[in-house]
Amino acid sequence: MKICVYGAASSLIDKSYIEAGKELGRRMAERGHGLVFGGGSHGMMGAVVDGVAEKSGYSLGVIPEFFREAGAEISADNCTDYIYTETMRERKR
């Protein structure tokens, strides 16, 4: 099963949320579930993909093309696969 997680992309959220996100990712991967997320490396989405990657799980980032053009610091480098969209609206759909 693939589970979709969209959450805060800000790194300014409380660290307890970051750790909870990592734990969620770890548990998903341990149970054989894949992650579908916004493709970012920061905040809650970054934490969940980090947890999935720690357990060698599968992740699919859905990210607008202009984020890729902005540089690697925005998109998660430990994501298994990406789907690039033209707009934020297409990303949400």
Side-chain angles (χ1 to χ4, degrees), residues 63-78:
I63 192 165
E65 182 67 39
F66 62 83
F67 280 4
R68 178 164 50 174
E69 294 166 2
E73 69 278 357
I74 293 174
S75 57
D77 60 358
N78 55 357

Side-chain angles (χ1 to χ4, degrees), residues 29-77:
E30 287 172 349
R31 288 165 176 77
H33 302 304
L35 169 67
V36 177
F37 75 117
S41 62
H42 301 292
M44 186 59 92
M45 288 189 287
V48 177
V49 75
D50 286 347
V52 169
E54 283 179 21
K55 297 294 183 172
S56 301
Y58 175 81
S59 58
L60 173 65
V62 181
I63 192 165
E65 182 67 39
F66 62 83
F67 280 4
R68 178 164 50 174
E69 294 166 2
E73 69 278 357
I74 293 174
S75 57
D77 60 358

Side-chain angles (χ1 to χ4, degrees), residues 13-26:
I13 61 175
D14 190 273
K15 299 300 179 205
S16 65
Y17 294 110
I18 298 296
E19 187 49 46
K22 284 184 183 178
E23 183 62 21
L24 172 64
R26 288 183 203 111

